[in-house]
């Protein structure tokens, strides 16, 4: 009997072209630069503005939340809606994480300055998803951007009934 799948709320934040399956970067700064470049292409926002917002947020405290995961985020005045970009790094990098472990899974969140609760809901959603060690192992083992997108945006309906 084939599994049924339900769309998760991530489908509203993440586009298929917002996945990077094997991002090459050797430092936290380089990761943020690459993500800013890709986010600029997806959102039409200025790359430098995205990078500056991400760096400013990192100065407040690391977004490396532990277990190889980082959730860099920021707000931009001209962004129309909350959006996400997901990257799996080719090799883990030091991200000043709270557990001092290198990071290889990154979910970038960008929100309009006026987003308020929507920004917090998106952070909570991503945090909940990436808190599951088995789910993170599936993301680490996925071969392609399409496979990662499917994992992030679909959930098995068998548990929903």
């Amino acid at each position: 009997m084939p599994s049924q799948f339900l769309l998760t709320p991530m489908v509203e934040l993440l586009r298929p072209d917002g996945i990077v399956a094997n991002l090459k970067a050797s430092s936290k700064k380089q990761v943020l630069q690459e993500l800013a470049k890709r986010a600029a292409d997806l959102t039409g926002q200025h790359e430098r503005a995205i990078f500056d917002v991400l760096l400013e947020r990192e100065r407040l405290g690391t977004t490396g939340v532990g277990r190889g995961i980082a959730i860099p985020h920021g707000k931009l005045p001209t962004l129309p809606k909350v959006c996400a970009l997901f990257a799996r790094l080719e090799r883990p990098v030091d991200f000043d994480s709270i557990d001092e472990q290198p990071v290889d899974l990154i979910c970038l969140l960008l929100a309009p300055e006026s987003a308020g609760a929507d920004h917090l809901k998106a952070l909570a959603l991503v945090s909940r998803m990436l808190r599951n060690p088995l789910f993170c192992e599936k993301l680490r083992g996925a071969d392609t951007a399409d496979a990662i997108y499917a994992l992030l945006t679909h959930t098995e309906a068998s548990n929903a009934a």
Side-chain angles (χ1 to χ4, degrees):
M1 185 169 173
S3 300
Q4 289 186 327
F5 289 92
L6 299 174
L7 292 177
T8 70
M10 277 299 286
V11 77
E12 296 173 20
L13 303 175
L14 188 64
R15 296 183 355 200
D17 56 352
I19 304 288
V20 185
N22 287 297
L23 183 68
K24 291 176 175 62
S26 57
S27 68
K28 178 178 181 174
K29 183 179 179 184
Q30 194 176 19
V31 167
L32 295 176
Q33 286 172 322
E34 283 297 316
L35 292 177
K37 183 186 304 179
R38 291 168 191 266
D41 290 342
L42 289 174
T43 64
Q45 302 293 304
H46 290 287
E47 179 182 334
R48 186 68 204 198
I50 295 169
F51 181 67
D52 288 347
V53 161
L54 296 175
L55 271 187
E56 188 177 313
R57 173 58 189 84
E58 291 298 322
R59 284 188 198 105
L60 296 174
T62 185
T63 58
V65 297
R67 295 184 328 278
I69 299 159
I71 310 172
H73 55 279
K75 293 183 177 182
L76 296 162
T78 58
L79 193 68
K81 67 182 190 109
V82 178
C83 64
L85 188 138
F86 186 88
R88 184 183 61 206
L89 301 184
E90 189 176 77
R91 290 196 188 96
V93 299
D94 179 11
F95 216 84
D96 304 315
S97 293
I98 58 172
D99 65 357
E100 299 180 3
Q101 296 300 307
V103 162
D104 66 337
L105 298 178
I106 299 176
C107 188
L108 169 70
L109 285 173
L110 295 172
E113 279 184 351
S114 61
D118 288 341
H119 178 67
L120 295 176
K121 286 178 190 170
L123 276 170
L125 169 68
V126 170
S127 177
R128 251 190 328 273
M129 289 178 78
L130 297 179
R131 195 179 301 144
N132 179 335
L134 292 174
F135 183 70
C136 289
E137 284 311 308
K138 286 181 183 180
L139 290 171
R140 288 181 173 108
D143 292 337
T144 64
D146 288 342
I148 292 171
Y149 182 77
L151 284 168
L152 289 167
T153 58
H154 295 79
T155 188
E156 287 195 54
S158 59
N159 295 336

